[in-house]
Structure formats: C-alpha cells, structure tokens
Amino acid sequence: MTILYDRGSAVEYGEKWWSHFNPGFLSFPVDGTNFVSQCLWAGHMPMEHSLDMEAGWWYQGDGSDKDSYSFSWAASHSFRWYFGSQRGSQLAQVVSECWQLEPGDVICYDWTGDGLWQHNAIIVACDRTGQPLVNSHTPNCYHKNWRLQDTELWTENTAYLFLKIKDNFNLPSMGNKEE
C-alpha cells in the first residue's frame, strides 16, 4: 500500500497550532519536536509502532496522562537520529542545502554545534527570495526565517540538518494513519 505525504495538511496543522497546544496530544515544557511530529502525522506520515519508547516513531493516546510515545516523537535528538536511521530514511532523507526543501519538510537545530540536537521546526512557506520560513514551539515561531537567528537560543555555532520528507511511502510493515 502506498501512503502519500500530504504536505498541505502538514503545513495547515503547523499554521493552526504554532501558538498553542492541541489538547488531543500531551504537551511538554520543551515542545518543538512534539509539535513537528504532530505536523508530520497530520500530513499522513506513517508511524512505526513499538512497545519500546526507544524504538520507532509513534504516539498513542488522546492527550491524557495515560498517553505513550516514542522518544523520537518528542525529543529532538532522538527525532534527528530516528530519521537518520535505516527505518527513518524510508520516510525522509537528509539533504545538504535548505533550497532543496519545501513546505512540509523539517529543519533540525543543534544550537551549540556539539552534536546534540535541541530543536526541530517545520517549513510552512518560503519568502520572496525562496528562503524557507518555519513555524515551531519552544520557542513559538510563526513564519520565521529558517536560521532562527532572532531567537534567544541561536548561537554562532548553530548547526542545521535538513530533512526532506518523501512524497510517498510504500511501507506496509510500518502502518498508516487511520481516518
């Protein structure tokens, strides 16, 4: 079965929820990756379910304290490494330049350049010069230049990783979004 990534739905979700939390999901004090994961899920990216929080990319629940999720759903560093894994690379690929990205793709941030990834944002548009604009949680950003240089977290050592989400997934073993 082929599942199509709906970039428009991912972006629409990112536009709707960038400044507040969706009550259908848990919220976290540092919520950027959880927000990006919700955007990808809204775009019909298939989850890889597991009984282990350290495996796959998944969320299960309705926003209550009984919800469960993988580390890669909510933790920036785990998210980056899941999508760099063999399974995750079936969903997204790392590209070398920001101009290769489009709305619905993701940028990962390592604020200090030490190899520990601390933030993720979703591309929701491009400016007149073709530069990606992102929305995110923690910090809440709306249509900010992808570098996020005007946030208090940015440093001159900030490193970026560009994740190009695939347009279709032929992954019968990973499941799909249930409507």
Side-chain angles (χ1 to χ4, degrees):
M1 173 197 253
T2 298
I3 300 163
L4 301 177
Y5 181 54
D6 185 344
R7 292 177 179 280
S9 291
V11 168
E12 184 178 307
Y13 189 97
E15 295 283 74
K16 179 178 181 177
W17 295 103
W18 75 271
S19 65
H20 55 288
F21 301 115
N22 179 340
F25 293 88
L26 290 174
S27 61
F28 300 90
V30 178
D31 197 65
T33 301
N34 179 40
F35 170 71
V36 167
S37 289
Q38 290 174 39
C39 292
L40 297 177
W41 176 240
H44 307 288
M45 179 177 278
M47 290 186 195
E48 180 187 0
H49 293 277
S50 173
L51 297 175
D52 183 355
M53 289 179 70
E54 294 183 20
W57 175 80
W58 55 273
Y59 186 94
Q60 196 166 22
D62 59 6
S64 72
D65 61 356
K66 295 182 178 157
D67 289 10
S68 58
Y69 52 90
S70 65
F71 291 139
S72 61
W73 181 275
S76 301
H77 193 70
S78 296
F79 179 95
R80 182 271 178 257
W81 287 109
Y82 173 75
F83 285 101
S85 73
Q86 183 176 4
R87 292 292 277 179
S89 68
Q90 295 176 43
L91 303 171
Q93 70 181 58
V94 175
V95 296
S96 59
E97 302 291 335
C98 72
W99 59 263
Q100 296 173 283
L101 302 175
E102 61 187 304
D105 291 332
V106 175
I107 300 177
C108 304
Y109 299 80
D110 170 359
W111 298 121
T112 57
D114 66 357
L116 181 61
W117 299 89
Q118 294 105 349
H119 185 62
N120 294 298
I122 187 161
I123 298 172
V124 293
C126 292
D127 69 13
R128 288 180 281 151
T129 66
Q131 293 288 308
L133 301 174
V134 299
N135 286 5
S136 71
H137 280 186
T138 324
N140 287 0
C141 293
Y142 179 77
H143 287 234
K144 294 276 190 181
N145 178 280
W146 65 273
R147 288 182 181 92
L148 296 180
Q149 288 176 305
D150 60 349
T151 67
E152 71 266 5
L153 299 171
W154 186 86
T155 71
E156 291 194 17
N157 296 323
T158 297
Y160 304 94
L161 183 93
F162 307 118
L163 285 177
K164 177 79 176 159
I165 308 301
K166 296 192 175 181
D167 288 321
N168 58 66
F169 314 107
N170 190 6
L171 307 167
S173 65
M174 290 182 77
N176 65 325
K177 182 174 182 176
E178 297 179 40
E179 304 287 340

